[in-house]
């Protein structure tokens, strides 16, 4: 068994990696807000004035979807970029 550690075991690098993840998530959140505004505007142009329930549902759905996609992609890039995937893979031994 290999005792390889990931870069996230180093507190300084972990702080850097998680701050980068939070910065990416903040940008994705801003993109989600912009996408929600564009979506509400487009739906208003297509279907006419929207009720407050439809507006809130659209805003919540678009922002939640964009944030979830950004968080999952960011976590996948975080684990791959820090070597965490390789350290977990090495714990499995030799599959045959």
């Amino acid at each position: 068994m290999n005792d390889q550690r990931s870069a996230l075991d180093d507190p300084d690098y972990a702080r850097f990696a998680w701050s980068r993840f939070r910065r990416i998530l903040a940008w994705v959140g801003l993109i989600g807000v912009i996408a929600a505004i564009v979506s509400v505007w487009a739906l208003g142009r297509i279907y006419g004035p929207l009720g407050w329930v439809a507006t809130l549902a659209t805003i919540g759905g678009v922002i939640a979807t964009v944030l979830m996609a950004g968080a999952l992609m960011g976590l996948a890039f975080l684990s791959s970029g820090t070597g965490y995937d390789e350290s977990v893979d090495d714990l499995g031994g030799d599959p045959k």
Side-chain angles (χ1 to χ4, degrees):
M1 195 173 331
N2 194 353
D3 191 27
Q4 181 182 3
R5 300 181 71 170
S6 77
L8 287 178
D9 292 330
D10 177 25
D12 291 330
Y13 189 77
R15 192 175 309 110
F16 166 73
W18 283 109
S19 68
R20 183 177 58 189
F21 172 75
R22 285 190 295 274
R23 187 172 55 247
I24 290 170
L25 201 56
W27 278 107
V28 169
L30 178 64
I31 292 169
V33 169
I34 292 169
I37 292 170
V38 170
S39 298
V40 168
W41 175 80
L43 287 172
R45 295 278 296 175
I46 294 169
Y47 295 111
L50 299 176
W52 65 273
V53 173
T55 302
L56 289 179
T58 301
I59 291 170
V62 170
I63 291 175
T65 301
V66 171
L67 277 176
M68 181 62 71
L72 291 174
M73 289 299 292
L75 288 173
F77 292 145
L78 176 76
S79 68
S80 175
T82 58
Y84 187 75
D85 291 346
E86 289 80 14
S87 69
V88 172
D89 190 38
D90 290 341
L91 293 176
D94 187 24
K96 289 189 179 188

